[in-house]
Amino acid sequence: MKSKIKYSNEPLGMVEIVSDFLPSLALVREEQPMSTVETIEQAIQALPPGELARFRNWFAKFDASAWDKQIEADATAGRLDRIAEEAIEEYGNGKAREL
């Protein structure tokens, strides 16, 4: 009893399972639920231009805020200390300049 799984590019993550033991080599289709990301992607693709612009603006702010929080957490935990020390040393050695 051998089975092969073929993944298709059809919507909703359709999967075809081809079973050698079936006399007619019938295809059994099983729908896989979409992931949250796929659902969001489809919703974004369906937005009219004005709503897409509004979403882009919101997401840019959201992403910047998440980045700032991560940098702050990394700095507080000391994960950026070595990089900062290297930058200060390179500046002191004339390998960097002020912007």
Side-chain angles (χ1 to χ4, degrees):
M1 174 170 28
K2 298 179 196 173
S3 293
K4 298 176 186 173
I5 299 177
K6 295 195 304 186
Y7 298 94
S8 70
N9 292 329
E10 296 180 36
L12 301 176
M14 300 294 271
V15 175
E16 294 179 349
I17 302 172
V18 181
S19 300
D20 292 340
F21 69 91
L22 294 174
S24 65
L25 198 62
L27 297 178
V28 178
R29 302 189 122 208
E30 179 183 317
E31 284 190 29
Q32 300 295 321
M34 286 193 302
S35 72
T36 302
V37 172
E38 290 168 330
T39 302
I40 293 169
E41 286 173 348
Q42 286 185 358
I44 292 169
Q45 290 171 355
L47 290 174
E51 289 294 307
L52 181 58
R54 201 170 136 209
F55 171 76
R56 261 194 222 110
N57 185 42
W58 171 83
F59 188 79
K61 291 176 185 174
F62 171 81
D63 196 37
S65 176
W67 176 258
D68 289 346
K69 288 175 186 171
Q70 183 63 55
I71 291 292
E72 186 175 327
D74 288 347
T76 300
R79 288 189 283 269
L80 303 178
D81 292 352
R82 183 182 56 79
I83 295 170
E85 289 168 3
E86 287 177 14
I88 292 168
E89 183 179 334
E90 287 182 7
Y91 180 76
N93 293 333
K95 294 181 181 177
R97 59 182 172 79
E98 289 187 39
L99 296 176

